[in-house]
Every structure is written in C-alpha cells, then in structure tokens.
PDB file of all heavy atoms in Angstrom:
ATOM      1  N   ASP A 598       4.413  -1.758  -4.231  1.00 95.00           N
ATOM      2  CA  ASP A 598       5.376  -0.993  -3.435  1.00 95.00           C
ATOM      3  C   ASP A 598       6.737  -0.990  -4.111  1.00 95.00           C
ATOM      4  O   ASP A 598       7.171  -2.004  -4.661  1.00 95.00           O
ATOM      5  CB  ASP A 598       5.555  -1.604  -2.045  1.00 95.00           C
ATOM      6  CG  ASP A 598       4.395  -1.318  -1.123  1.00 95.00           C
ATOM      7  OD1 ASP A 598       3.259  -1.316  -1.607  1.00 95.00           O
ATOM      8  OD2 ASP A 598       4.635  -1.114   0.075  1.00 95.00           O
ATOM      9  N   PHE A 599       7.418   0.156  -4.026  1.00 96.00           N
ATOM     10  CA  PHE A 599       8.819   0.260  -4.406  1.00 96.00           C
ATOM     11  C   PHE A 599       9.594   0.758  -3.195  1.00 96.00           C
ATOM     12  O   PHE A 599       9.256   1.794  -2.605  1.00 96.00           O
ATOM     13  CB  PHE A 599       9.006   1.220  -5.587  1.00 96.00           C
ATOM     14  CG  PHE A 599       8.391   0.728  -6.865  1.00 96.00           C
ATOM     15  CD1 PHE A 599       7.109   1.107  -7.226  1.00 96.00           C
ATOM     16  CD2 PHE A 599       9.099  -0.133  -7.692  1.00 96.00           C
ATOM     17  CE1 PHE A 599       6.539   0.643  -8.402  1.00 96.00           C
ATOM     18  CE2 PHE A 599       8.531  -0.601  -8.864  1.00 96.00           C
ATOM     19  CZ  PHE A 599       7.247  -0.213  -9.221  1.00 96.00           C
ATOM     20  N   GLY A 600      10.631   0.011  -2.811  1.00 95.00           N
ATOM     21  CA  GLY A 600      11.435   0.378  -1.655  1.00 95.00           C
ATOM     22  C   GLY A 600      12.852   0.718  -2.059  1.00 95.00           C
ATOM     23  O   GLY A 600      13.423   0.121  -2.983  1.00 95.00           O
ATOM     24  N   TYR A 601      13.440   1.683  -1.343  1.00 94.00           N
ATOM     25  CA  TYR A 601      14.799   2.145  -1.649  1.00 94.00           C
ATOM     26  C   TYR A 601      15.612   2.175  -0.364  1.00 94.00           C
ATOM     27  O   TYR A 601      15.180   2.752   0.640  1.00 94.00           O
ATOM     28  CB  TYR A 601      14.762   3.534  -2.288  1.00 94.00           C
ATOM     29  CG  TYR A 601      16.122   4.073  -2.654  1.00 94.00           C
ATOM     30  CD1 TYR A 601      16.773   3.641  -3.802  1.00 94.00           C
ATOM     31  CD2 TYR A 601      16.759   5.010  -1.849  1.00 94.00           C
ATOM     32  CE1 TYR A 601      18.021   4.131  -4.151  1.00 94.00           C
ATOM     33  CE2 TYR A 601      18.015   5.509  -2.176  1.00 94.00           C
ATOM     34  CZ  TYR A 601      18.641   5.063  -3.331  1.00 94.00           C
ATOM     35  OH  TYR A 601      19.882   5.551  -3.658  1.00 94.00           O
ATOM     36  N   HIS A 602      16.806   1.551  -0.383  1.00 89.00           N
ATOM     37  CA  HIS A 602      17.682   1.509   0.787  1.00 89.00           C
ATOM     38  C   HIS A 602      18.495   2.808   0.846  1.00 89.00           C
ATOM     39  O   HIS A 602      19.487   2.970   0.126  1.00 89.00           O
ATOM     40  CB  HIS A 602      18.619   0.308   0.707  1.00 89.00           C
ATOM     41  CG  HIS A 602      17.903  -1.010   0.714  1.00 89.00           C
ATOM     42  ND1 HIS A 602      17.709  -1.745   1.862  1.00 89.00           N
ATOM     43  CD2 HIS A 602      17.327  -1.726  -0.285  1.00 89.00           C
ATOM     44  CE1 HIS A 602      17.054  -2.855   1.571  1.00 89.00           C
ATOM     45  NE2 HIS A 602      16.797  -2.862   0.266  1.00 89.00           N
ATOM     46  N   LEU A 603      18.062   3.730   1.709  1.00 89.00           N
ATOM     47  CA  LEU A 603      18.805   4.976   1.869  1.00 89.00           C
ATOM     48  C   LEU A 603      20.142   4.735   2.543  1.00 89.00           C
ATOM     49  O   LEU A 603      21.139   5.390   2.249  1.00 89.00           O
ATOM     50  CB  LEU A 603      17.983   5.978   2.689  1.00 89.00           C
ATOM     51  CG  LEU A 603      16.680   6.464   2.058  1.00 89.00           C
ATOM     52  CD1 LEU A 603      15.911   7.332   3.043  1.00 89.00           C
ATOM     53  CD2 LEU A 603      16.956   7.237   0.779  1.00 89.00           C
ATOM     54  N   SER A 604      20.162   3.824   3.501  1.00 85.00           N
ATOM     55  CA  SER A 604      21.381   3.434   4.204  1.00 85.00           C
ATOM     56  C   SER A 604      21.152   2.049   4.771  1.00 85.00           C
ATOM     57  O   SER A 604      20.128   1.413   4.513  1.00 85.00           O
ATOM     58  CB  SER A 604      21.711   4.444   5.319  1.00 85.00           C
ATOM     59  OG  SER A 604      20.753   4.373   6.367  1.00 85.00           O
ATOM     60  N   THR A 605      22.098   1.575   5.569  1.00 83.00           N
ATOM     61  CA  THR A 605      21.946   0.256   6.167  1.00 83.00           C
ATOM     62  C   THR A 605      20.831   0.210   7.201  1.00 83.00           C
ATOM     63  O   THR A 605      20.360  -0.870   7.553  1.00 83.00           O
ATOM     64  CB  THR A 605      23.262  -0.176   6.833  1.00 83.00           C
ATOM     65  OG1 THR A 605      23.648   0.809   7.815  1.00 83.00           O
ATOM     66  CG2 THR A 605      24.362  -0.327   5.788  1.00 83.00           C
ATOM     67  N   LYS A 606      20.388   1.362   7.694  1.00 88.00           N
ATOM     68  CA  LYS A 606      19.342   1.409   8.715  1.00 88.00           C
ATOM     69  C   LYS A 606      18.070   2.103   8.236  1.00 88.00           C
ATOM     70  O   LYS A 606      17.037   2.018   8.894  1.00 88.00           O
ATOM     71  CB  LYS A 606      19.858   2.117   9.973  1.00 88.00           C
ATOM     72  CG  LYS A 606      21.056   1.448  10.621  1.00 88.00           C
ATOM     73  CD  LYS A 606      21.503   2.214  11.846  1.00 88.00           C
ATOM     74  CE  LYS A 606      22.709   1.552  12.512  1.00 88.00           C
ATOM     75  NZ  LYS A 606      23.888   1.546  11.651  1.00 88.00           N
ATOM     76  N   SER A 607      18.129   2.806   7.132  1.00 92.00           N
ATOM     77  CA  SER A 607      17.005   3.628   6.676  1.00 92.00           C
ATOM     78  C   SER A 607      16.453   3.081   5.369  1.00 92.00           C
ATOM     79  O   SER A 607      17.211   2.756   4.442  1.00 92.00           O
ATOM     80  CB  SER A 607      17.458   5.080   6.490  1.00 92.00           C
ATOM     81  OG  SER A 607      16.384   5.904   6.123  1.00 92.00           O
ATOM     82  N   TYR A 608      15.109   3.003   5.293  1.00 94.00           N
ATOM     83  CA  TYR A 608      14.436   2.407   4.134  1.00 94.00           C
ATOM     84  C   TYR A 608      13.241   3.272   3.758  1.00 94.00           C
ATOM     85  O   TYR A 608      12.382   3.570   4.589  1.00 94.00           O
ATOM     86  CB  TYR A 608      13.975   0.992   4.490  1.00 94.00           C
ATOM     87  CG  TYR A 608      13.458   0.170   3.344  1.00 94.00           C
ATOM     88  CD1 TYR A 608      14.310  -0.308   2.355  1.00 94.00           C
ATOM     89  CD2 TYR A 608      12.101  -0.155   3.247  1.00 94.00           C
ATOM     90  CE1 TYR A 608      13.832  -1.091   1.312  1.00 94.00           C
ATOM     91  CE2 TYR A 608      11.618  -0.937   2.206  1.00 94.00           C
ATOM     92  CZ  TYR A 608      12.491  -1.391   1.241  1.00 94.00           C
ATOM     93  OH  TYR A 608      12.018  -2.157   0.209  1.00 94.00           O
ATOM     94  N   LEU A 609      13.197   3.675   2.489  1.00 96.00           N
ATOM     95  CA  LEU A 609      12.145   4.554   1.989  1.00 96.00           C
ATOM     96  C   LEU A 609      11.248   3.776   1.037  1.00 96.00           C
ATOM     97  O   LEU A 609      11.734   3.026   0.186  1.00 96.00           O
ATOM     98  CB  LEU A 609      12.759   5.754   1.278  1.00 96.00           C
ATOM     99  CG  LEU A 609      11.805   6.833   0.759  1.00 96.00           C
ATOM    100  CD1 LEU A 609      11.084   7.522   1.917  1.00 96.00           C
ATOM    101  CD2 LEU A 609      12.565   7.857  -0.082  1.00 96.00           C
ATOM    102  N   ARG A 610       9.915   3.961   1.208  1.00 96.00           N
ATOM    103  CA  ARG A 610       8.945   3.260   0.366  1.00 96.00           C
ATOM    104  C   ARG A 610       8.066   4.257  -0.382  1.00 96.00           C
ATOM    105  O   ARG A 610       7.670   5.284   0.166  1.00 96.00           O
ATOM    106  CB  ARG A 610       8.019   2.385   1.214  1.00 96.00           C
ATOM    107  CG  ARG A 610       8.655   1.247   1.940  1.00 96.00           C
ATOM    108  CD  ARG A 610       7.659   0.614   2.898  1.00 96.00           C
ATOM    109  NE  ARG A 610       6.368   0.334   2.262  1.00 96.00           N
ATOM    110  CZ  ARG A 610       5.191   0.731   2.761  1.00 96.00           C
ATOM    111  NH1 ARG A 610       5.124   1.429   3.876  1.00 96.00           N
ATOM    112  NH2 ARG A 610       4.069   0.419   2.134  1.00 96.00           N
ATOM    113  N   PHE A 611       7.760   3.911  -1.615  1.00 96.00           N
ATOM    114  CA  PHE A 611       6.730   4.601  -2.387  1.00 96.00           C
ATOM    115  C   PHE A 611       5.738   3.531  -2.839  1.00 96.00           C
ATOM    116  O   PHE A 611       6.145   2.483  -3.340  1.00 96.00           O
ATOM    117  CB  PHE A 611       7.326   5.319  -3.595  1.00 96.00           C
ATOM    118  CG  PHE A 611       8.295   6.404  -3.246  1.00 96.00           C
ATOM    119  CD1 PHE A 611       9.662   6.139  -3.205  1.00 96.00           C
ATOM    120  CD2 PHE A 611       7.854   7.679  -2.948  1.00 96.00           C
ATOM    121  CE1 PHE A 611      10.565   7.140  -2.874  1.00 96.00           C
ATOM    122  CE2 PHE A 611       8.741   8.683  -2.614  1.00 96.00           C
ATOM    123  CZ  PHE A 611      10.105   8.416  -2.582  1.00 96.00           C
ATOM    124  N   PHE A 612       4.471   3.809  -2.658  1.00 96.00           N
ATOM    125  CA  PHE A 612       3.499   2.766  -2.978  1.00 96.00           C
ATOM    126  C   PHE A 612       2.237   3.359  -3.585  1.00 96.00           C
ATOM    127  O   PHE A 612       1.931   4.547  -3.430  1.00 96.00           O
ATOM    128  CB  PHE A 612       3.145   1.952  -1.725  1.00 96.00           C
ATOM    129  CG  PHE A 612       2.537   2.746  -0.602  1.00 96.00           C
ATOM    130  CD1 PHE A 612       1.161   2.917  -0.504  1.00 96.00           C
ATOM    131  CD2 PHE A 612       3.343   3.317   0.370  1.00 96.00           C
ATOM    132  CE1 PHE A 612       0.601   3.635   0.530  1.00 96.00           C
ATOM    133  CE2 PHE A 612       2.797   4.045   1.416  1.00 96.00           C
ATOM    134  CZ  PHE A 612       1.419   4.202   1.503  1.00 96.00           C
ATOM    135  N   THR A 613       1.544   2.506  -4.292  1.00 96.00           N
ATOM    136  CA  THR A 613       0.230   2.844  -4.819  1.00 96.00           C
ATOM    137  C   THR A 613      -0.682   1.653  -4.582  1.00 96.00           C
ATOM    138  O   THR A 613      -0.227   0.511  -4.508  1.00 96.00           O
ATOM    139  CB  THR A 613       0.308   3.175  -6.322  1.00 96.00           C
ATOM    140  OG1 THR A 613      -0.997   3.534  -6.798  1.00 96.00           O
ATOM    141  CG2 THR A 613       0.800   1.987  -7.122  1.00 96.00           C
ATOM    142  N   GLY A 614      -1.954   1.934  -4.423  1.00 94.00           N
ATOM    143  CA  GLY A 614      -2.891   0.862  -4.139  1.00 94.00           C
ATOM    144  C   GLY A 614      -4.289   1.198  -4.629  1.00 94.00           C
ATOM    145  O   GLY A 614      -4.632   2.368  -4.865  1.00 94.00           O
ATOM    146  N   ARG A 615      -5.062   0.164  -4.790  1.00 95.00           N
ATOM    147  CA  ARG A 615      -6.457   0.321  -5.200  1.00 95.00           C
ATOM    148  C   ARG A 615      -7.305  -0.509  -4.247  1.00 95.00           C
ATOM    149  O   ARG A 615      -7.198  -1.736  -4.213  1.00 95.00           O
ATOM    150  CB  ARG A 615      -6.654  -0.143  -6.639  1.00 95.00           C
ATOM    151  CG  ARG A 615      -8.088  -0.010  -7.160  1.00 95.00           C
ATOM    152  CD  ARG A 615      -8.183  -0.611  -8.557  1.00 95.00           C
ATOM    153  NE  ARG A 615      -9.532  -0.537  -9.112  1.00 95.00           N
ATOM    154  CZ  ARG A 615      -9.974   0.450  -9.879  1.00 95.00           C
ATOM    155  NH1 ARG A 615      -9.169   1.450 -10.190  1.00 95.00           N
ATOM    156  NH2 ARG A 615     -11.205   0.440 -10.348  1.00 95.00           N
ATOM    157  N   GLN A 616      -8.127   0.186  -3.476  1.00 93.00           N
ATOM    158  CA  GLN A 616      -9.010  -0.489  -2.522  1.00 93.00           C
ATOM    159  C   GLN A 616     -10.448  -0.370  -3.008  1.00 93.00           C
ATOM    160  O   GLN A 616     -10.906   0.708  -3.390  1.00 93.00           O
ATOM    161  CB  GLN A 616      -8.883   0.137  -1.133  1.00 93.00           C
ATOM    162  CG  GLN A 616      -9.756  -0.528  -0.088  1.00 93.00           C
ATOM    163  CD  GLN A 616      -9.571   0.081   1.295  1.00 93.00           C
ATOM    164  OE1 GLN A 616      -8.670   0.881   1.510  1.00 93.00           O
ATOM    165  NE2 GLN A 616     -10.436  -0.290   2.227  1.00 93.00           N
ATOM    166  N   SER A 617     -11.137  -1.496  -2.980  1.00 92.00           N
ATOM    167  CA  SER A 617     -12.547  -1.496  -3.386  1.00 92.00           C
ATOM    168  C   SER A 617     -13.350  -2.272  -2.357  1.00 92.00           C
ATOM    169  O   SER A 617     -12.846  -3.194  -1.709  1.00 92.00           O
ATOM    170  CB  SER A 617     -12.723  -2.122  -4.773  1.00 92.00           C
ATOM    171  OG  SER A 617     -12.302  -3.469  -4.784  1.00 92.00           O
ATOM    172  N   SER A 618     -14.602  -1.887  -2.222  1.00 91.00           N
ATOM    173  CA  SER A 618     -15.478  -2.544  -1.257  1.00 91.00           C
ATOM    174  C   SER A 618     -16.859  -2.692  -1.875  1.00 91.00           C
ATOM    175  O   SER A 618     -17.336  -1.805  -2.600  1.00 91.00           O
ATOM    176  CB  SER A 618     -15.559  -1.730   0.039  1.00 91.00           C
ATOM    177  OG  SER A 618     -16.305  -2.402   1.020  1.00 91.00           O
ATOM    178  N   ALA A 619     -17.483  -3.826  -1.569  1.00 90.00           N
ATOM    179  CA  ALA A 619     -18.820  -4.102  -2.111  1.00 90.00           C
ATOM    180  C   ALA A 619     -19.720  -4.605  -0.992  1.00 90.00           C
ATOM    181  O   ALA A 619     -19.324  -5.457  -0.191  1.00 90.00           O
ATOM    182  CB  ALA A 619     -18.734  -5.127  -3.233  1.00 90.00           C
ATOM    183  N   VAL A 620     -20.942  -4.075  -0.960  1.00 89.00           N
ATOM    184  CA  VAL A 620     -21.949  -4.525   0.007  1.00 89.00           C
ATOM    185  C   VAL A 620     -22.514  -5.856  -0.477  1.00 89.00           C
ATOM    186  O   VAL A 620     -22.893  -6.000  -1.644  1.00 89.00           O
ATOM    187  CB  VAL A 620     -23.055  -3.481   0.168  1.00 89.00           C
ATOM    188  CG1 VAL A 620     -24.133  -3.980   1.133  1.00 89.00           C
ATOM    189  CG2 VAL A 620     -22.468  -2.163   0.651  1.00 89.00           C
ATOM    190  N   LEU A 621     -22.589  -6.840   0.418  1.00 87.00           N
ATOM    191  CA  LEU A 621     -23.017  -8.173   0.033  1.00 87.00           C
ATOM    192  C   LEU A 621     -24.521  -8.369   0.177  1.00 87.00           C
ATOM    193  O   LEU A 621     -25.150  -9.038  -0.646  1.00 87.00           O
ATOM    194  CB  LEU A 621     -22.271  -9.223   0.865  1.00 87.00           C
ATOM    195  CG  LEU A 621     -20.743  -9.238   0.692  1.00 87.00           C
ATOM    196  CD1 LEU A 621     -20.133 -10.291   1.596  1.00 87.00           C
ATOM    197  CD2 LEU A 621     -20.366  -9.509  -0.759  1.00 87.00           C
ATOM    198  N   ASN A 622     -25.097  -7.787   1.191  1.00 85.00           N
ATOM    199  CA  ASN A 622     -26.525  -7.965   1.441  1.00 85.00           C
ATOM    200  C   ASN A 622     -27.201  -6.599   1.422  1.00 85.00           C
ATOM    201  O   ASN A 622     -27.038  -5.792   2.344  1.00 85.00           O
ATOM    202  CB  ASN A 622     -26.733  -8.652   2.791  1.00 85.00           C
ATOM    203  CG  ASN A 622     -28.207  -8.920   3.076  1.00 85.00           C
ATOM    204  OD1 ASN A 622     -29.065  -8.748   2.206  1.00 85.00           O
ATOM    205  ND2 ASN A 622     -28.504  -9.342   4.297  1.00 85.00           N
ATOM    206  N   THR A 623     -27.928  -6.329   0.364  1.00 84.00           N
ATOM    207  CA  THR A 623     -28.578  -5.016   0.224  1.00 84.00           C
ATOM    208  C   THR A 623     -30.049  -5.028   0.637  1.00 84.00           C
ATOM    209  O   THR A 623     -30.703  -3.976   0.625  1.00 84.00           O
ATOM    210  CB  THR A 623     -28.474  -4.545  -1.241  1.00 84.00           C
ATOM    211  OG1 THR A 623     -29.137  -5.493  -2.082  1.00 84.00           O
ATOM    212  CG2 THR A 623     -27.023  -4.402  -1.657  1.00 84.00           C
ATOM    213  N   GLU A 624     -30.600  -6.196   1.000  1.00 84.00           N
ATOM    214  CA  GLU A 624     -32.014  -6.286   1.345  1.00 84.00           C
ATOM    215  C   GLU A 624     -32.378  -5.360   2.497  1.00 84.00           C
ATOM    216  O   GLU A 624     -33.440  -4.734   2.502  1.00 84.00           O
ATOM    217  CB  GLU A 624     -32.374  -7.728   1.691  1.00 84.00           C
ATOM    218  CG  GLU A 624     -32.300  -8.700   0.525  1.00 84.00           C
ATOM    219  CD  GLU A 624     -33.337  -8.394  -0.549  1.00 84.00           C
ATOM    220  OE1 GLU A 624     -34.412  -7.864  -0.198  1.00 84.00           O
ATOM    221  OE2 GLU A 624     -33.067  -8.677  -1.728  1.00 84.00           O
ATOM    222  N   VAL A 625     -31.493  -5.249   3.488  1.00 83.00           N
ATOM    223  CA  VAL A 625     -31.815  -4.457   4.685  1.00 83.00           C
ATOM    224  C   VAL A 625     -31.742  -2.958   4.403  1.00 83.00           C
ATOM    225  O   VAL A 625     -32.120  -2.149   5.262  1.00 83.00           O
ATOM    226  CB  VAL A 625     -30.865  -4.818   5.836  1.00 83.00           C
ATOM    227  CG1 VAL A 625     -31.066  -6.268   6.265  1.00 83.00           C
ATOM    228  CG2 VAL A 625     -29.416  -4.578   5.434  1.00 83.00           C
TER     229      VAL A 625
END
C-alpha cells in the first residue's frame, strides 16, 4: 500500500496485492 495525506482529515491509498488459494484435500 501507498498512502497520501490529502489534508489533515483526508487520506488516499493506492494498493496492489496478490491473492492465491490452494485446495488442501483433493480426494473428495
């Protein structure tokens, strides 16, 4: 995340993320 203070009350964020998921039990 990168955050920028627009004013004393206002805050702007730009973010990037990587989400991954894996199945643990494939027998079923």
Side-chain angles (χ1 to χ4, degrees):
D598 285 37
F599 294 94
Y601 181 79
H602 297 264
L603 295 174
S604 69
T605 57
K606 300 180 180 64
S607 183
Y608 189 71
L609 184 65
R610 295 171 49 232
F611 297 95
F612 60 90
T613 181
R615 180 185 179 93
Q616 181 178 351
S617 61
S618 185
V620 178
L621 298 178
N622 183 9
T623 61
E624 293 294 330
V625 295

